[in-house]
Amino acid sequence: MLRLCGFIAVFFVAALTTFDASADRRVALVIGNSDYRQFPALKNPVKDAEDVSKTFRLAGFEVFVASNLTKLQFEEQFRNYLAAIDGADLAVVYYSGHGFQIGGENFLIPVDASLKQAADIEVQAIKLNDVLEQMRSKSKIQVIVLDACRNNPFPRKNYWLRDQLITGGNAGLAQVRSSLNTLIAFATEPGAAAYDGSGDLSPFSAAFSRRALAPNQEIRTVMAAVRRDVVEATKGLQVPWENSSLIDEVVLMRRSNRPSLPPVLEKVVLSGVGPVDLGLPEPVDVDGGTITVSIERPPALGRLMLDGEPVEVGEPIQGKDLPRLQMDVPKGVDAQDEVDMLAYATHDNWGGQSQGILVFRVKSGEGAHGEQVMASLAAEQKQQVVERGIHITGAAEAIENRDIDVPVGVGPVALNLDFPTDDPAVSLKVSAYPATGTLSLPDRTLSPQSSLMAAEVDRLRYEPQIGVVAPVEVGFEIRADSASSKPATMKLSPSVDPCDSAAGEPLDLQGVVPGLLPNEIGASAVELCQAAVKAYPDVPRFRYELGRALLATGKVEEAKTAIEEAAKEGHVRAVFELGYMYATGTGLAIDRTQANALYAAASDKGDPYGMTSWGRALFNGYGVKPDTAKGLDLLLKAAAMGHTYAMNDLAAIFTEGRNGVTADPARAVAFLKAGVERQDMYSMNLLGRNYLAGVGVDKDPKQAQGLFQKAMDLGQPHAPSNLARMYRDGVGVDRDLAEAQRLFELATARGDQFGAFDRAALEMQKGDKADQAIAVRFLAFAAALDFRKELPDARKALASFGAKPKMAALNQLRQELKSKIPASGSLDTQLVNMARGVWEEANPRRDVF
């Protein structure tokens, strides 16, 4: 009878209980910029960011929080954030700090901006539309909240915006046209200024933090409440405003989880002995709220008591009081075993509820038999208390002092705690949430207020925050009832997979490391990435990095296969890489049309490499109908993401003035300096040339020398030649032909055809002491390395030499080759082919040309 009743009870609870079990990915980036270096400091943004980040964390978001970001720091933080929101359901950016508009475009201002020159807005500020477009390419729904409308303190009034000089607005931000499923909220209406506030928080941020925590409120309702609060706080001087194209409901503080409790319990209750403890466990709200309990169906054989007072049907009692609930079954209840049932409901303070049932058998407590039963139950209860204490101790030991390695960038990782109990009375409350990253269960994300039941612990997961490898601590309070609990703390240590360290690529928006250039990839990378692909077959990033590693070792066919697989599985940089292989003929027939199609696809997904190559093609008409405006815009977007190749392309465009774009050498220098700031060796070399020639800057040979030297030390192929010419001609340094000769030879080894040509010329300048075979050798290298046909004089000069020095140079090159090249064609052709073979065998960098 008891088992049958238990089955009915389970069915009863299942029929009454439904809830949506899902764990959407919701990620917020919160930035507060207060300590401006060139402009008046703002009092509250850093405090705003701290407060708002806590709000988002309480709402169950993964939160990236940063303060006082420079432009470079913003780029790094934003790239990590973009990697985290790849495929996210909701992506949020909250910014508090300086911002202003130019020509209808809104800009957020890093703390190191000066904005003194017309070009500074492009290299020092962050365009809001670029941020929004990147978010759109990664996530389903985007929300941007801007408390960034302070008065404009910037020194200039006109700045470059694409191909025009535009006058900046005096105050406020401009209205933004949002695409589908986007909401953009401003601290004040377009064109108006917001206030930093007189308290610790700005009026807008204070209202947002307060209102965003309202459970189960749609964001447009939240923002309406924020608007009312701010209007009241500022006496109508500041009116928050938003632009929404949302078609999906967005709830920040979701509270749809039911209170957690065992649905069916069984108990033996004695009659005639007075109130008997029912031993009901305290219900746990997994979201950390307050729980009340109401009796839905009272027992028929007795009455419920709490602290000596009867409990009536529907009467609310506090969840924490439930373990003290008693039942008084009067004397004379049938001595035969009788079955009764108590049904109760738990309610949290945001509408969640669940049902519980206690099925009990009544036994007579009278006479000797009753005494025996009573003694047996007392012993059983005592044993239960002992066992529960053991459970709590064992649970604490399963967690305390654990140090769990958790790989970064592979999704939520199961912690596999091997929890020793699934006792329904045991629960864990999160007492110390990790400083970064996200704790979750398969059906929900945990917040700093969350609790979970013992049976759920073995499904606990942690996802480290991309860009963070510092260990974090997680604390729990393990409870069995209101009277007994134990604390336990464990350490979670994020780690970067060896494949990422060995073959990750710079600016990969699905990557987790700063990345390496192709020549920096070591021989061990292939084995490391093969292991990563095997361990994480569903992470396409590792297949792409395996392809990079294979390319670095010359295994082009295997590399192509791995890169194609990664592209099919959604890795965007792999799509670009296939385009690059088509463009350069690396393992594929050269096909500019196919290359451009792949570049465009990668560009549409926000990849800065794709934007640079597609923008370059459009701007110059490489294999596609020219579109100068779109090409320039894509190059500017890629540069804004920190891609130095785009910066160098833009510098060339602005130095010369191309395709209708106005020449402005100072603007070109601004981009080169931005590249140098990012340690780009190509920018260093180009800026050195500007200092040497006085283009866009005052002539400064010492600056040029320092830049050439640093670029050369980093491996730049043309910098040795530029430095060599300074020594050859005695410009800014003492004339030193031996040093010039050494540097020209280094440049040749790195693939610089102009350096090779100048080395040959330097040899012939020795007159009678010249070694013509050496001159021939370097002319052969000059012609062999002239892939773009920029140096026709190399072949002409080579043709002017006689057969004897040519044969001497040819024999020397043959001796240097590891493999044989068939001798065919003229002597000059053989020399060029041999020189190219020697250079290719030296395994030069793939990113040089």
Side-chain angles (χ1 to χ4, degrees):
M1 176 67 179
L2 189 62
R3 289 180 179 175
L4 177 61
C5 191
F7 174 78
I8 294 171
V10 171
F11 181 81
F12 172 73
V13 171
L16 288 178
T17 305
T18 59
F19 76 106
D20 181 21
S22 62
D24 291 345
R25 291 192 58 233
R26 309 192 305 163
V27 190
L29 170 62
V30 182
I31 299 171
N33 281 348
S34 288
D35 297 338
Y36 285 88
R37 301 172 187 176
Q38 303 286 330
F39 313 122
L42 297 172
K43 183 181 66 170
N44 287 328
V46 168
K47 297 174 185 175
D48 291 342
E50 291 173 358
D51 193 65
V52 170
S53 67
K54 291 176 184 176
T55 298
F56 281 118
R57 194 173 288 278
L58 286 170
F61 281 73
E62 178 183 357
V63 182
F64 289 72
V65 59
S67 58
N68 294 324
L69 292 181
T70 64
K71 178 63 162 61
L72 266 69
Q73 290 169 338
F74 174 85
E75 289 172 10
E76 181 182 4
Q77 279 280 352
F78 191 54
R79 283 194 295 270
N80 291 336
Y81 170 70
L82 289 176
I85 67 170
D86 193 28
D89 298 277
L90 174 60
V92 177
V93 169
Y94 193 107
Y95 174 82
S96 182
H98 273 306
F100 78 124
Q101 61 167 300
I102 302 173
E105 292 275 10
N106 293 316
F107 291 85
L108 312 180
I109 311 301
V111 296
D112 61 337
S114 64
L115 302 183
K116 294 178 180 177
Q117 306 299 322
D120 285 350
I121 194 70
E122 298 172 310
V123 295
Q124 295 181 4
I126 296 113
K127 189 188 294 184
L128 180 62
N129 273 337
D130 288 350
V131 170
L132 183 56
E133 285 183 19
Q134 288 286 349
M135 293 169 67
R136 286 171 186 156
S137 72
K138 297 281 188 179
S139 57
K140 179 181 176 183
I141 304 171
Q142 305 81 43
V143 171
I144 296 180
V145 184
L146 299 170
D147 193 1
C149 312
R150 275 70 171 181
N151 286 321
N152 179 358
F154 311 119
R156 287 186 66 90
K157 294 299 180 185
N158 59 331
Y159 295 94
W160 280 111
L161 196 62
R162 298 182 186 88
D163 57 349
Q164 299 181 54
L165 274 172
I166 303 292
T167 300
N170 290 323
L173 297 178
Q175 183 172 345
V176 178
R177 296 179 63 184
S178 59
S179 64
L180 199 62
N181 244 3
T182 297
L183 181 141
I184 304 170
F186 296 87
T188 191
E189 58 195 317
Y195 294 90
D196 210 20
S198 57
D200 287 339
L201 303 175
S202 76
F204 180 79
S205 291
F208 180 85
S209 286
R210 181 171 59 253
R211 294 296 185 178
L213 291 177
N216 300 326
Q217 292 289 308
E218 210 278 334
I219 192 168
R220 283 161 287 197
T221 301
V222 169
M223 296 313 300
V226 170
R227 184 160 38 251
R228 288 192 295 272
D229 288 354
V230 173
V231 168
E232 181 180 352
T234 63
K235 294 181 170 43
L237 296 177
Q238 181 176 331
V239 182
W241 172 88
E242 65 268 358
N243 180 21
S244 172
S245 60
L246 292 176
I247 58 173
D248 291 319
E249 187 176 75
V250 174
V251 175
L252 298 178
M253 192 72 169
R254 292 184 303 187
R255 287 295 179 255
S256 59
N257 288 315
R258 56 179 179 164
S260 186
L261 76 168
V264 180
L265 294 170
E266 298 179 1
K267 177 80 175 177
V268 173
V269 177
L270 297 179
S271 63
V273 296
V276 175
D277 290 337
L278 293 179
L280 291 172
E282 180 181 345
V284 175
D285 192 313
V286 296
D287 287 325
T290 302
I291 296 177
T292 57
V293 179
S294 61
I295 304 303
E296 305 292 308
R297 180 190 183 283
L301 301 178
R303 62 176 182 168
L304 297 175
M305 308 289 290
L306 179 64
D307 298 335
E309 299 294 329
V311 177
E312 305 298 334
V313 174
E315 179 184 345
I317 61 176
Q318 295 299 309
K320 63 182 177 60
D321 295 333
L322 192 62
R324 301 203 312 277
L325 193 66
Q326 297 176 313
M327 181 172 171
D328 185 8
V329 181
K331 275 186 180 184
V333 172
D334 198 328
Q336 305 266 333
D337 288 355
E338 292 198 42
V339 174
D340 201 352
M341 184 175 77
L342 160 68
Y344 59 100
T346 61
H347 312 269
D348 64 25
N349 50 4
W350 29 71
Q353 70 174 43
S354 59
Q355 286 75 36
I357 290 177
L358 174 64
V359 179
F360 50 88
R361 179 183 294 145
V362 175
K363 290 179 177 287
S364 173
E366 300 179 60
H369 175 70
E371 291 177 1
Q372 290 176 356
V373 173
M374 189 180 300
S376 175
L377 291 176
E380 184 180 317
Q381 186 175 14
K382 187 176 181 180
Q383 180 63 26
Q384 186 181 55
V385 171
V386 171
E387 289 178 357
R388 193 151 284 165
I390 294 172
H391 289 167
I392 294 177
T393 300
E397 289 174 352
I399 294 174
E400 186 67 32
N401 298 324
R402 291 283 297 273
D403 188 348
I404 302 174
D405 181 83
V406 187
V408 176
V410 299
V413 177
L415 298 182
N416 298 321
L417 292 174
D418 194 21
F419 209 60
T421 180
D422 59 0
D423 185 341
V426 174
S427 66
L428 290 80
K429 181 175 178 61
V430 180
S431 58
Y433 200 87
T436 58
T438 306
L439 283 175
S440 67
L441 294 166
D443 65 335
R444 67 184 187 275
T445 300
L446 303 184
S447 76
Q449 293 180 338
S450 292
S451 295
L452 61 160
M453 305 306 293
E456 297 178 302
V457 175
D458 283 340
R459 296 185 290 131
L460 190 62
R461 311 178 303 178
Y462 174 70
E463 184 169 7
Q465 189 167 104
I466 292 172
V468 177
V469 293
V472 297
E473 287 192 345
V474 186
F476 295 98
E477 181 188 354
I478 306 170
R479 301 179 295 181
D481 53 55
S482 57
S484 58
S485 66
K486 268 187 178 294
T489 302
M490 65 180 174
K491 183 187 294 184
L492 303 175
S493 297
S495 64
V496 173
D497 190 276
C499 174
D500 287 316
S501 299
E505 185 165 25
L507 305 190
D508 183 352
L509 301 188
Q510 291 163 298
V512 301
V513 293
L516 302 173
L517 295 172
N519 69 303
E520 297 170 324
I521 297 174
S524 64
V526 171
E527 184 178 348
L528 294 172
C529 289
Q530 286 172 336
V533 168
K534 184 177 180 181
Y536 306 104
D538 297 329
V539 181
R541 179 180 79 251
F542 291 128
R543 292 191 186 277
Y544 171 60
E545 292 172 354
L546 173 60
R548 293 193 81 217
L550 290 165
L551 275 179
T553 58
K555 298 177 180 178
V556 176
E557 283 302 314
E558 293 178 57
K560 182 180 70 171
T561 299
I563 292 168
E564 286 175 340
E565 289 175 352
K568 288 177 184 176
E569 293 170 11
H571 195 74
V572 177
R573 181 59 58 79
V575 175
F576 162 82
E577 192 74 32
L578 286 175
Y580 180 81
M581 294 173 78
Y582 273 112
T584 58
T586 304
L588 295 163
I590 291 179
D591 186 337
R592 188 75 210 195
T593 300
Q594 184 65 14
N596 282 339
L598 291 163
Y599 288 159
S603 176
D604 288 345
K605 288 293 184 180
D607 179 61
Y609 275 61
M611 287 191 288
T612 297
S613 293
W614 183 223
R616 186 186 296 137
L618 288 169
F619 187 86
N620 296 294
Y622 293 153
V624 67
K625 182 180 178 181
D627 188 336
T628 301
K630 184 174 180 180
L632 181 65
D633 194 48
L634 286 172
L635 288 169
L636 288 166
K637 282 180 165 63
M641 290 296 296
H643 193 19
T644 55
Y645 292 8
M647 294 175 186
N648 296 335
D649 274 348
L650 290 165
I653 291 168
F654 299 139
T655 296
E656 303 167 10
R658 295 180 183 173
N659 300 347
V661 175
T662 303
D664 188 332
R667 191 180 185 189
V669 165
F671 279 99
L672 292 178
K673 286 183 175 179
V676 170
E677 195 175 9
R678 288 155 185 80
Q679 300 303 303
D680 182 75
M681 59 189 179
Y682 297 96
S683 301
M684 294 173 189
N685 182 63
L686 293 169
L687 185 58
R689 290 168 54 182
N690 282 60
Y691 275 111
L692 202 59
V695 176
V697 289
D698 294 334
K699 273 190 179 183
D700 191 336
K702 287 297 180 186
Q703 281 274 21
Q705 180 190 9
L707 287 163
F708 291 148
Q709 183 67 53
K710 189 169 183 181
M712 183 179 74
D713 292 344
L714 290 171
Q716 210 279 340
H718 303 291
S721 291
N722 287 324
L723 196 54
R725 294 181 190 104
M726 293 182 72
Y727 282 105
R728 182 193 64 189
D729 302 332
V731 176
V733 295
D734 293 334
R735 194 164 184 257
D736 187 337
L737 294 181
E739 180 64 1
Q741 178 176 303
R742 182 187 74 82
L743 292 169
F744 281 135
E745 290 174 2
L746 176 60
T748 302
R750 292 182 178 180
D752 180 6
Q753 72 270 35
F754 297 101
F757 188 82
D758 284 353
R759 172 65 183 91
L762 190 63
E763 186 65 30
M764 294 310 298
Q765 288 173 11
K766 297 178 182 178
D768 294 341
K769 295 181 180 179
D771 186 331
Q772 292 194 354
I774 289 178
V776 166
R777 170 189 175 86
F778 282 98
L779 287 171
F781 273 111
L785 297 170
D786 187 23
F787 299 111
R788 298 178 181 175
K789 309 301 180 188
E790 297 172 311
L791 192 56
D793 289 346
R795 282 189 178 268
K796 292 178 184 177
L798 182 61
S800 68
F801 283 81
K804 185 176 178 181
K806 288 180 180 179
M807 285 303 302
L810 187 61
N811 288 332
Q812 184 182 4
L813 289 168
R814 279 182 179 145
Q815 291 173 11
E816 295 175 28
L817 272 174
K818 299 172 186 175
S819 58
K820 292 184 178 180
I821 295 178
S824 62
S826 67
L827 199 54
D828 287 4
T829 298
Q830 292 181 53
L831 277 164
V832 172
N833 289 341
M834 290 289 178
R836 182 175 291 126
V838 168
W839 185 74
E840 288 176 349
E841 282 186 351
N843 192 27
R845 328 167 43 119
R846 284 182 59 253
D847 62 330
V848 171
F849 297 103

